[in-house]
Amino acid sequence: DPFHVGGNTRLFFSLLGAKTTSILPLECCQRQWFHLRPISMETPYPKPISPTQTRIGWIGIGIMGAAMASHLLSAGYSLTIYARSPSKASSLLSQGAHLAHSPHQLARQSDVVFTMVGNPQDVNQIVLQPNGILSTLNPGAVIVDHTSSSPSLARQIYASAREKGCWSVDAPVSGGDIGAREGKLAIFAGGERSVVEWLTPLLDLMGRVTYMGEAGCGQTCKIGNQIMVGANLMGLSEGFFFAEKAGLELSKYMEAIRGGGAGSMAMELFGRRTIERDFKPGGFVEYMVKDLGMGLNVVKEEEDERVVVLPGAALCKQLFSSMVANGDGKLGIQGLITVVERINGK
């Protein structure tokens, strides 16, 4: 890292091999005559983002968050993480990340803070409550929330951030654990357009970002995304169950239909896993229940008089909720086929 030189400047250059009029002995380094002080490097918005200067904080290192954060480390960025269970941070620490002891400590030393936690209640606690991120965030710093959360909470965070001279972007993602590992997530961004554009060097490492509009629009897009993912998974599950009962070999069945109208990204991400009974989570069932619930309640939440009837989303939520009730909330969402099987007495 670059350094300021304190004490005897000539000694500093002698150590670098430069010619000086006087060279002091090396043991002087052990005295107070000479010290090196790290330059304070920071790039608040709108200073350009740089791997050598931009300080990044990350909160939330689960299945998705850890994979996303690792891309920033691989690109050479300085990353500080906070984890409620520090033992889960070992992989990122081995890649060069630093560990903060609290969200407010992390925020104090970061230009950009990413959050990827479980639900809106977690976001509220980590960002808005006393000793949360906003309590110590420096002016010009930016919060990027990747959590699938509430549009109204995203707007509340944005307003609170602006009151402190900071910024926030709601940027939930889609693509599951595979997209996170491969850096191919779809990222839906809401907030100030110029801030989203400023963040592009970081977001591009994790996937493809689309600017959706003002604060909250990223979260609204994610809710719509989940409504469609749920419908796709329900069709996938029923199609596979029907094909198997009819005597078709499932791998051949999927290969036959994946290039036609039945093909989908849901099939590409979850089809093979479903056939192989691999229900390890890329996204938890309990989170899908949360997301669909927000979709069914969002109009009420916004105190809007419009009436939106979403029968498919309501049915999907009911089916996923039955998995949670059966103790399967921590399975991957491709486990929806087990509900179809259970209904059919399998």
Side-chain angles (χ1 to χ4, degrees):
D1 291 339
F3 289 92
H4 287 307
V5 180
N8 194 300
T9 305
R10 286 182 297 177
L11 171 60
F12 174 75
F13 287 106
S14 72
L15 294 173
L16 296 179
K19 293 181 179 180
T20 61
T21 56
S22 175
I23 299 178
L24 300 179
L26 186 59
E27 57 264 28
C28 290
C29 294
Q30 300 172 351
R31 305 177 190 176
Q32 295 182 356
W33 302 348
F34 172 70
H35 67 273
L36 298 178
R37 178 169 57 86
I39 293 176
S40 176
M41 298 182 293
E42 52 187 65
T43 58
Y45 173 80
K47 291 178 64 175
I49 288 175
S50 162
T52 59
Q53 293 190 316
T54 302
R55 305 168 302 167
I56 300 175
W58 193 286
I59 298 176
I61 53 172
I63 295 170
M64 298 286 291
M68 295 164 70
S70 68
H71 293 302
L72 301 175
L73 286 168
S74 296
Y77 286 93
S78 173
L79 185 72
T80 301
I81 57 178
Y82 168 73
R84 285 180 292 189
S85 301
S87 60
K88 295 182 179 180
S90 57
S91 176
L92 290 173
L93 293 176
S94 69
Q95 296 175 56
H98 308 284
L99 187 64
H101 299 297
S102 64
H104 65 272
Q105 180 194 32
L106 178 146
R108 185 182 295 113
Q109 59 194 53
S110 299
D111 302 310
V112 182
V113 178
F114 290 91
T115 55
M116 183 56 156
V117 293
N119 54 60
Q121 293 77 18
D122 292 332
V123 176
N124 185 303
Q125 181 69 35
I126 289 171
V127 177
L128 294 177
Q129 297 307 306
N131 295 323
I133 293 171
L134 274 178
S135 67
T136 55
L137 200 63
N138 298 307
V142 180
I143 300 171
V144 183
D145 184 24
H146 286 308
T147 312
S148 296
S149 185
S150 157
S152 63
L153 178 58
R155 287 190 285 273
Q156 182 182 354
I157 291 172
Y158 179 86
S160 298
R162 293 304 300 128
E163 288 177 359
K164 289 203 62 177
C166 306
W167 302 87
S168 77
V169 170
D170 50 294
V173 302
S174 181
D177 57 328
I178 295 175
R181 287 197 305 270
E182 296 181 353
K184 295 181 179 179
L185 292 169
I187 306 171
F188 319 121
E192 188 72 25
R193 178 187 288 273
S194 61
V195 176
V196 174
E197 292 173 349
W198 178 77
L199 289 164
T200 297
L202 303 177
L203 297 177
D204 280 351
L205 296 171
M206 295 177 271
R208 180 178 62 86
V209 60
T210 301
Y211 176 70
M212 299 307 302
E214 63 185 16
C217 287
Q219 296 295 355
T220 300
C221 182
K222 177 59 185 287
I223 291 171
N225 178 86
Q226 296 302 80
I227 291 171
M228 297 184 73
V229 169
N232 273 272
L233 280 169
M234 185 163 64
L236 185 76
S237 299
E238 292 187 344
F240 278 1
F241 184 80
F242 166 81
E244 186 176 43
K245 280 294 186 181
L248 297 180
E249 200 278 308
L250 286 184
S251 292
K252 288 183 179 180
Y253 169 69
M254 190 175 87
E255 287 304 315
I257 68 173
R258 71 194 306 177
S264 67
M265 183 57 70
M267 181 179 290
E268 298 305 314
L269 288 172
F270 304 116
R272 179 57 54 187
R273 293 184 181 189
T274 302
I275 292 171
E276 296 175 354
R277 314 293 294 181
D278 175 6
F279 300 142
K280 292 193 296 292
F284 291 120
V285 166
E286 62 186 17
Y287 289 171
M288 178 62 88
V289 173
K290 175 256 300 181
D291 293 345
L292 292 173
M294 288 192 295
L296 295 169
N297 295 327
V298 69
V299 175
K300 179 181 177 181
E301 175 189 271
E302 304 303 333
E303 298 182 355
D304 197 314
E305 294 182 357
R306 292 172 298 171
V307 176
V308 177
V309 179
L310 303 172
L315 177 57
C316 282
K317 180 177 182 290
Q318 183 178 349
L319 296 176
F320 282 113
S321 294
S322 74
M323 292 185 68
V324 175
N326 199 52
D328 293 335
K330 296 294 186 183
L331 292 185
I333 55 178
Q334 68 273 23
L336 184 63
I337 194 171
T338 62
V339 179
V340 180
E341 294 168 346
R342 194 175 299 118
I343 291 172
N344 283 274
K346 181 178 177 181

